[in-house]
Amino acid sequence: MNSRNKGGGKMAGDTKAIVAQFLQAWQRERDHKIKICLFGQPGAGKSSLINELAGQRVARVSQATDTTRQAQIVECPDVIYVDLPGYDTSAFPENAYFSAFNPLQYDLFLCVFAGKLHRADVDFFGKIARTGRVCLFVRNKCDGLYDPSCSREELERRILQDVHSLVGPREKVVFTSCRRNKPAAERGLPELETAMGMLLPEARRDRFFRHAKAYTEAALLVKRASAERSLKKFMVLAAANGLNPVIGMDAALDAQILKGLYRSIREAFGVNEKEVQPEGPSSQIVKKLAEGVTGERVTKGLTWLLRKKASGRAAKAIPVVGGAAVMGFNAGSLYFLGQKYIDACYRYALERLRAEIQMGEP
Ligand SMILES: Nc1nc2c(ncn2[C@@H]2O[C@H](COP(=O)(O)OP(=O)(O)OP(=O)(O)O)[C@@H](O)[C@H]2O)c(=O)[nH]1
Ligand SMILES: [Mg+2]
């Protein structure tokens, strides 16, 4: 083989293979989602809670006469919710579906109840607890929790006592409402998300907070920190797959990588491509890259842009590999662009959250 003649082509081919390998590794990472299972009586609000957690209508909510009969699987970018059909006591536990149920595939269970905890809930919890899985008890429909003769705190204390007498004193209970007559922050949703995150194995916690809709500014900051850690993971994965230090060989491949990175950042903040578009001359180029424009011009433009940045105040932000003169679309610039996009998405999400809090919710 004449390596002199084929050198250039072979190198480009290698880069392609490295990029493909990296994208596969990133996809595998993304495929490994958190699995959360919700169970409870028909109409307790399992599907409604999934919608609150995801921050959008992803699960079908039942009308009074129509309850879910099949398990609903709701797949989000970081989390898969399995919304079990509400069971009634008569059919349970004889129901073959529930006796064949294997809890081991789930990271977390939510037992959703609206009145009292039923015998069937306790039985199903027993089945889960025996396998060592963790379950959070969610007392939903708290908007209806009212008794003129006693305070809300006292009512909650009684519910807690009742649950503990049935399933043991160590189980955690949170109080929620899905009725959108008040801001989510006053309906127990931030508390629910925090409790869920804390019950997940540490390695999965970050991912959960990245997914869960932020209802408070504090939650948005947690999201931002998590998106930054995720960007670092992306970089580590890139390095492990041989993408470091310099890509810059094929703008189409660069664009694929950048596009994947941008999408995952947007997903973390629950924004879409139209809402947070990169702006300004730098981002015009980034945008072209992200859109998959091919050709030398784009990579050259980016090189110019980064070189210009490197001589300005932003220089510190770019860990230049090999000096500005040879700087192409390298891992450092990828990191820099990722940070910039996290910033933009965070600022947008913060403004939107403030507006939501002010206006009440849709
Ligand atoms: N007032 C009030 N209504 C709620 C609340 N949560 C859910 N609902 C309503 O209760 C009904 C049932 O809600 P779903 O979320 O479908 O309940 P589910 O547990 O998924 O029901 P199945 O799938 O049939 O088992 C719907 O009409 C919801 O709008 C709540 O916190 N307060
Ligand atoms: Mg349902």
Coordinates of all heavy atoms in Angstrom, one line a residue, residues 41-48 50 59-62 66-70 72 83-86, ligand 2:
Q41 N -54.0 3.5 43.2 CA -55.4 3.3 42.9 C -55.8 4.1 41.6 O -55.1 5.1 41.3 CB -56.2 3.8 44.0 CG -56.0 3.1 45.3 CD -56.5 1.6 45.2 OE1 -57.7 1.4 44.9 NE2 -55.6 0.7 45.5
P42 N -56.8 3.6 40.9 CA -57.2 4.4 39.7 C -57.6 5.8 40.1 O -58.2 6.0 41.1 CB -58.5 3.6 39.3 CG -58.5 2.3 40.0 CD -57.6 2.4 41.2
G43 N -57.1 6.7 39.3 CA -57.5 8.1 39.5 C -56.8 8.8 40.6 O -57.1 10.0 40.9
A44 N -55.7 8.2 41.2 CA -55.0 8.8 42.3 C -54.2 10.0 41.7 O -53.8 10.9 42.5 CB -54.1 7.8 42.9
G45 N -53.8 10.0 40.4 CA -53.1 11.1 39.8 C -51.7 10.7 39.3 O -50.8 11.6 39.2
K46 N -51.5 9.4 39.0 CA -50.2 9.0 38.6 C -49.8 9.7 37.3 O -48.7 10.3 37.2 CB -50.2 7.5 38.4 CG -50.5 6.7 39.6 CD -50.6 5.2 39.4 CE -51.9 4.8 38.6 NZ -53.1 5.1 39.3
S47 N -50.7 9.7 36.3 CA -50.4 10.3 35.0 C -50.2 11.8 35.2 O -49.3 12.4 34.5 CB -51.5 10.0 34.0 OG -51.7 8.6 33.9
S48 N -51.1 12.4 36.0 CA -50.9 13.9 36.2 C -49.6 14.2 36.8 O -48.9 15.2 36.4 CB -52.0 14.4 37.1 OG -53.3 14.0 36.6
I50 N -46.8 12.6 36.4 CA -45.7 12.4 35.4 C -45.6 13.7 34.6 O -44.6 14.2 34.3 CB -46.0 11.2 34.5 CG1 -45.8 9.9 35.3 CG2 -45.1 11.2 33.3 CD1 -46.2 8.6 34.5
A59 N -48.1 12.2 29.5 CA -48.9 11.1 29.9 C -50.4 11.4 29.7 O -50.8 12.5 30.0 CB -48.6 10.7 31.3
R60 N -51.2 10.4 29.4 CA -52.6 10.6 29.2 C -53.3 10.6 30.6 O -53.2 9.7 31.3 CB -53.2 9.5 28.3 CG -54.5 9.8 27.7 CD -54.9 8.8 26.7 NE -55.1 7.5 27.3 CZ -56.2 7.0 27.9 NH1 -57.3 7.8 27.9 NH2 -56.3 5.8 28.4
V61 N -54.0 11.7 30.8 CA -54.8 11.8 32.1 C -56.2 11.3 31.9 O -56.8 11.6 30.9 CB -54.8 13.3 32.6 CG1 -55.7 13.5 33.7 CG2 -53.4 13.7 32.9
S62 N -56.7 10.5 32.9 CA -58.0 9.9 32.7 C -59.1 10.8 33.0 O -58.9 11.7 33.9 CB -58.1 8.7 33.7 OG -57.0 7.9 33.7
D66 N -63.0 7.0 32.9 CA -62.1 6.2 32.0 C -60.8 6.1 32.7 O -60.1 7.1 32.9 CB -62.1 6.9 30.7 CG -60.7 7.0 30.0 OD1 -60.2 5.9 29.7 OD2 -60.2 8.1 29.9
T67 N -60.5 4.9 33.2 CA -59.2 4.8 33.9 C -58.3 4.0 33.0 O -58.7 3.2 32.1 CB -59.4 4.0 35.2 OG1 -60.0 2.8 35.0 CG2 -60.1 4.9 36.2
T68 N -57.0 4.2 33.2 CA -56.0 3.5 32.4 C -56.0 2.0 32.7 O -55.9 1.6 33.8 CB -54.6 4.1 32.7 OG1 -54.8 5.5 32.7 CG2 -53.6 3.8 31.6
R69 N -56.0 1.2 31.6 CA -56.1 -0.2 31.8 C -54.7 -0.9 31.5 O -54.4 -2.0 31.9 CB -57.1 -0.9 30.9 CG -58.5 -0.5 31.3 CD -59.1 -1.4 32.4 NE -60.3 -0.8 33.0 CZ -60.5 -0.7 34.3 NH1 -59.6 -1.0 35.1 NH2 -61.6 -0.1 34.7
Q70 N -54.0 -0.2 30.6 CA -52.7 -0.7 30.2 C -51.5 0.1 30.8 O -51.7 1.3 31.1 CB -52.5 -0.5 28.7 CG -53.6 -1.2 27.9 CD -53.1 -2.6 27.4 OE1 -52.0 -2.7 27.0 NE2 -54.0 -3.6 27.6
Q72 N -48.7 2.5 30.8 CA -48.2 3.5 29.8 C -46.8 3.7 30.0 O -46.3 4.0 31.1 CB -48.9 4.8 30.2 CG -50.0 5.3 29.2 CD -50.4 6.7 29.5 OE1 -50.0 7.7 28.8 NE2 -51.2 6.9 30.5
D83 N -46.2 4.0 33.9 CA -47.4 4.5 34.6 C -48.3 3.2 34.6 O -48.9 2.9 33.6 CB -48.0 5.6 33.7 CG -49.2 6.2 34.3 OD1 -49.6 5.8 35.5 OD2 -49.9 7.0 33.6
L84 N -48.2 2.5 35.7 CA -49.0 1.3 35.8 C -50.5 1.6 35.8 O -50.9 2.6 36.3 CB -48.6 0.5 37.1 CG -47.2 -0.1 37.1 CD1 -47.1 -1.0 38.3 CD2 -46.9 -0.9 35.9
P85 N -51.3 0.7 35.3 CA -52.7 0.9 35.3 C -53.2 0.9 36.8 O -52.6 0.1 37.6 CB -53.3 -0.3 34.6 CG -52.2 -1.3 34.5 CD -50.9 -0.6 34.6
G86 N -54.1 1.8 37.1 CA -54.6 1.7 38.5 C -55.3 0.4 38.7 O -56.0 0.0 37.8
Ligands
MG2 MG -52.9 6.9 34.5

